[in-house]
Amino acid sequence: MSENLLTLGRHLRAQKDVGALVDVIEAIALAGKAIAHRVRRARIDDVIGEAGATNIQGEAQQKLDVLSDQLLLECLRACPAAAVYASEEQDGAIVLRTRAEGAAYCVLADPLDGSSNIDVAVSVGTIFSVQRHDRSDAEIEQSAVQAGRKQAAAGYILYGSSVVLVLSIGRGVSMYVLDPLLGDFVLVKDGIRVPAASKTYSLNEAYVNDFEDGLKAYLDWAHSSGYGARYIGSMVADVHRTLLKGGVFLYPGTKKAPEGKLRLLYEGNPMAFVIEQAGGAASTGRGPLLDVVPTKLHQRTPVVIGSAGEVEHILRHLRS
Ligand code: FDP
C-alpha cells in the first residue's frame, strides 16, 4: 500500500490564490490535533465534567470546552494572518492583530461541539468559520459578524473513530483524515457531493409538541413515506453523516425557543457553507441560512440542512 502524502497544507498550497488563508486553516488544524489528543485522554486525565462556570448563554461549560477554546486561541495567536477570534466560550470577540499588522482573517468557532456527549465517548467536534477582516481596524470586531455567504472558509474537525477534517474554501468540499503515523491530515476525498435525496431525517423528535404545525405535518408525511430517523445529538456527527449519506439534519425553533438552540455564526453558517458547497441546501425554514444578516455574535438560528430534495420536502410542509 503506497503512503498518502498529500497533506492538508500541501493540498491547499497547490491551489491558486489561497494566500495566507492556508496559515489560518493550518492553525485551526493544529489546534484540532491537540484537541483530538485531549478528547482521547479525557477519562484518563480526569477532565470529564463541568468546569464550574457557564458561558455567556448560560450553558454549563465542560472542562474540555474551556481547554479546547484555549488551544484554538493559542494556535491563532501564533498565526500572523489571524485578526480576531470569537467562540461559543468567549463573551466577546478577541482582537489578536490589526489589518495594519497584516492580519486578514477572523475565526469563529464552537471549540467542542456536542461536549455534553464526551462522558459517554460519543463523537464530538470543532466547528469553524473564517471570515475576511475587510473593514477598517476600528471595526475589527464587526468583521466577524457577517453573513455566512461571505465566509472565506468553513468546516469542522470530527473526533470520532478517526479524526476527520472537512473543509471548504468555496471551491467544493474536501475531506482529510489525521494519519497517526504522519501526525498530519491527509486528503482522502475531494469534491464531496451530498446525495440528492435519502429518506432519513435527523432531529430531536422529543420536542414535537412544541414544533410548528408545518413541521408536525412533515413528520407525519415522513412516517408514512418510509423514512428512517438518525439522531446522535452531536451536531458535527449528525451533519457529517448527512454530508456523506444524505438526508436532512434539523434543529428547528420551538414555541419556547423560536430561534432554536444552535448558534448562527459558528454552528449554522459553517455547516450551511459546507453543505451548500457539496450541492446540498441550507435553510432557516424561512429562507437561505447563509443570507441571514447577523446582528450579534451569539445569535441563534433554526437550522434545516442536507440533501436538496429532503430540505425541500420540509420547506414545502412549512409553507403550506
Ligand atoms: P451540545 O449541547 O452537547 O454542545 O451545539 C449544541 C449541541 O450539543 C449540538 O451539538 C447538538 O446537535 C444539540 O446541542 C443537541 O441538543 P438537544 O439535546 O436539544 O437535542
Side-chain angles (χ1 to χ4, degrees):
M1 197 175 70
S2 68
E3 206 71 71
N4 178 353
L5 297 174
L6 192 47
T7 60
L8 173 69
R10 291 184 64 211
H11 182 234
L12 289 175
R13 285 195 174 85
Q15 299 176 42
K16 272 195 187 144
D17 305 325
V18 186
L21 184 57
V22 185
D23 301 331
V24 175
I25 290 164
E26 283 192 322
I28 296 168
L30 179 62
K33 288 186 215 174
I35 297 169
H37 180 67
R38 301 301 175 102
V39 167
R40 292 249 184 285
R41 287 191 51 91
R43 192 57 83 176
I44 302 162
D45 291 341
D46 195 23
V47 286
I48 287 184
E50 294 180 5
T54 52
N55 62 21
I56 191 162
Q57 292 133 104
E59 297 156 342
Q61 289 176 309
Q62 305 285 316
K63 290 178 192 163
L64 273 174
D65 284 329
V66 178
L67 207 62
S68 306
D69 188 49
Q70 289 306 318
L71 287 166
L72 268 167
L73 179 57
E74 256 176 62
C75 290
L76 290 165
R77 262 200 213 290
C79 172
V84 173
Y85 173 62
S87 90
E88 184 180 356
E89 310 307 334
Q90 302 282 347
D91 295 0
I94 297 173
V95 177
L96 304 170
R97 267 172 223 89
T98 60
R99 243 165 64 157
E101 292 171 294
Y105 295 100
C106 306
V107 176
L108 299 100
D110 180 353
L112 202 57
D113 181 69
S115 56
S116 58
N117 293 304
I118 288 170
D119 46 355
V120 290
V122 166
S123 299
V124 291
T126 298
I127 309 175
F128 60 89
S129 161
V130 184
Q131 290 279 9
R132 291 176 187 86
H133 172 33
D134 53 7
R135 303 197 180 187
S136 73
D137 278 338
E139 297 178 300
I140 193 162
E141 290 182 42
Q142 288 92 312
S143 280
V145 185
Q146 301 202 56
R149 190 75 65 199
K150 296 172 91 177
Q151 288 169 106
Y156 56 84
I157 305 170
L158 172 72
Y159 312 112
S161 55
S162 56
V163 181
V164 181
L165 191 156
V166 169
L167 172 71
S168 176
I169 58 167
R171 304 170 188 180
V173 177
S174 308
M175 180 161 80
Y176 309 83
V177 169
L178 182 60
D179 181 335
L181 282 180
L182 295 178
D184 218 337
F185 286 100
V186 292
L187 181 72
V188 291
K189 201 164 185 206
D190 221 357
I192 293 176
R193 307 294 293 168
V194 192
S198 168
K199 290 185 163 190
T200 307
Y201 66 79
S202 180
L203 91 166
N204 194 334
E205 210 164 345
Y207 306 145
V208 66
N209 291 344
D210 274 347
F211 291 160
E212 62 183 285
D213 290 345
L215 190 50
K216 289 180 186 167
Y218 163 78
L219 288 168
D220 287 343
W221 171 83
H223 295 162
S224 59
S225 306
Y227 273 67
R230 289 284 182 277
Y231 189 67
I232 298 167
S234 182
M235 187 195 196
V236 181
D238 281 313
V239 170
H240 190 57
R241 183 198 55 250
T242 304
L243 175 73
L244 297 184
K245 297 198 168 179
V248 60
F249 168 82
L250 61 160
Y251 203 112
T254 58
K255 282 179 201 149
K256 277 183 231 143
E259 296 309 308
K261 177 182 184 187
L262 303 177
R263 271 50 58 114
L264 172 65
L265 291 173
Y266 41 81
E267 292 183 310
N269 273 348
M271 292 311 203
F273 193 76
V274 166
I275 291 286
E276 276 204 5
Q277 283 289 321
S283 171
T284 62
R286 299 280 171 267
L289 199 149
L290 291 175
D291 290 336
V292 175
V293 178
T295 53
K296 50 184 194 227
L297 190 55
H298 298 292
Q299 180 168 338
R300 294 177 197 264
T301 181
V303 169
V304 184
I305 55 178
S307 301
E310 302 306 333
V311 171
E312 185 46 37
H313 285 309
I314 294 181
L315 298 184
R316 180 163 51 83
H317 283 90
L318 290 177
R319 282 193 297 262
S320 60

